[in-house]
Amino acid sequence: KQEVTQIPAALSVPEGENLVLNCSFTDSAIYNLQWFRQDPGKGLTSLLLIQSSQREQTSGRLNASLDKSSGRSTLYIAASQPGDSATYLCAVFNTNAGKSTFGDGTTLTVKP
Amino acid sequence: DTEVTQTPKHLVMGMTNKKSLKCEQHMGHRAMYWYKQKAKKPPELMFVYSYEKLSINESVPSRFSPECPNSSLLNLHLHALQPEDSALYLCASSSPGRGRNNEQFFGPGTRLTVL
């Protein structure tokens, strides 16, 4: 059974800092991994999708890496802003259009 | 258009009521999903439809009944729910296939309260 762990559970940083969120998974036979952000009471917004054959993806100030062999992904956020405050979730998909397993998320607070 | 819409935004129902949640996407996606999310917890997969056929049912109680009338619409019929079913219900869609196409897009959710 796939298990996904996100560390830390919560993170508070001053504006402008670069930060790293971690996601680890137990079964390396994944199809892809997706990072989302969720604002309180809202739906999930897709940030980055990494296919199992890829090592990293970038979008603006965000960079996500994937190391399947060690069962790890990181989300790097550069020059953090208060608007980045949200819960960040990683989800591992074991098949195409199939089961997904989410981590519990990292709640990020960026202070002005 | 990368939007998944869900109606209603909020729903309050009694344990004897029958109601339905609706989800719609016009991205040409052929996989659609229902998730349930309790407060401060990650989403839990309930159902997956692939090409309008139910492909995954995560042992969800029969008081939840999914329906996929066509490739753009997904419904979740609710009947005889319990207060512990109160949660945010999220719909998502993706396009099965290689490359970026299998990225999942989520709707804003329906906040359900069962009295």
Side-chain angles (χ1 to χ4, degrees):
Chain A
K1 177 188 172 188
Q2 179 75 271
E3 292 181 5
V4 179
T5 303
Q6 290 189 244
I7 293 174
L11 181 63
S12 181
V13 300
E15 182 176 6
E17 273 205 6
N18 302 325
L19 55 99
V20 174
L21 308 182
N22 297 290
C23 172
S24 61
F25 47 94
T26 54
D27 183 353
S28 63
I30 67 169
Y31 190 78
N32 60 35
L33 183 146
Q34 194 168 352
W35 282 95
F36 297 89
R37 73 171 274 169
Q38 186 174 30
D39 295 291
K42 305 292 186 183
L44 279 65
T45 299
S46 177
L47 297 174
L48 289 164
L49 172 75
I50 308 180
Q51 303 288 352
S52 61
S53 59
Q54 297 175 321
R55 301 281 294 187
E56 67 178 322
Q57 283 285 343
T58 298
S59 176
R61 294 183 293 110
L62 305 178
N63 175 278
S65 67
L66 175 64
D67 183 342
K68 258 187 30 172
S69 61
S70 66
R72 292 182 183 179
S73 176
T74 61
L75 179 67
Y76 175 82
I77 302 176
S80 58
Q81 303 170 357
D84 294 331
S85 298
T87 296
Y88 290 79
L89 295 154
C90 75
V92 171
F93 296 86
N94 284 85
T95 61
N96 182 14
K99 290 180 66 110
S100 58
T101 306
F102 280 77
D104 285 345
T106 294
T107 299
L108 172 66
T109 302
V110 180
K111 297 180 179 178
Chain B
D1 182 8
T2 56
E3 189 178 27
V4 177
T5 59
Q6 290 187 243
T7 56
K9 290 185 179 179
H10 301 276
L11 178 62
V12 179
M13 59 186 292
M15 289 190 285
T16 59
N17 292 156
K18 286 185 180 181
K19 296 286 185 184
S20 297
L21 309 184
K22 295 185 184 302
C23 174
E24 190 168 5
Q25 57 87 14
H26 294 287
M27 294 178 276
H29 289 171
R30 301 308 297 273
M32 297 186 77
Y33 312 75
W34 280 115
Y35 290 86
K36 174 183 177 180
Q37 186 178 28
K38 301 284 274 186
K40 300 192 184 300
K41 293 290 186 182
E44 298 175 19
L45 183 65
M46 299 174 72
F47 302 104
V48 180
Y49 273 84
S50 183
Y51 293 91
E52 294 92 69
K53 286 185 170 38
L54 184 64
S55 60
I56 293 178
N57 176 339
E58 287 291 316
S59 302
V60 179
S62 60
R63 57 186 185 268
F64 295 92
S65 175
E67 178 195 20
C68 190
N70 60 55
S71 60
S72 299
L73 293 174
L74 185 66
N75 298 321
L76 186 63
H77 302 297
L78 314 172
H79 173 56
L81 294 192
Q82 303 296 311
E84 59 265 28
D85 296 322
S86 298
L88 182 66
Y89 287 83
L90 295 163
C91 173
S93 70
S94 70
S95 181
R98 295 209 172 271
R100 198 164 175 77
N101 286 342
N102 56 5
E103 182 176 3
Q104 277 206 359
F105 293 89
F106 279 76
T110 293
R111 174 71 62 188
L112 174 67
T113 302
V114 182
L115 302 176

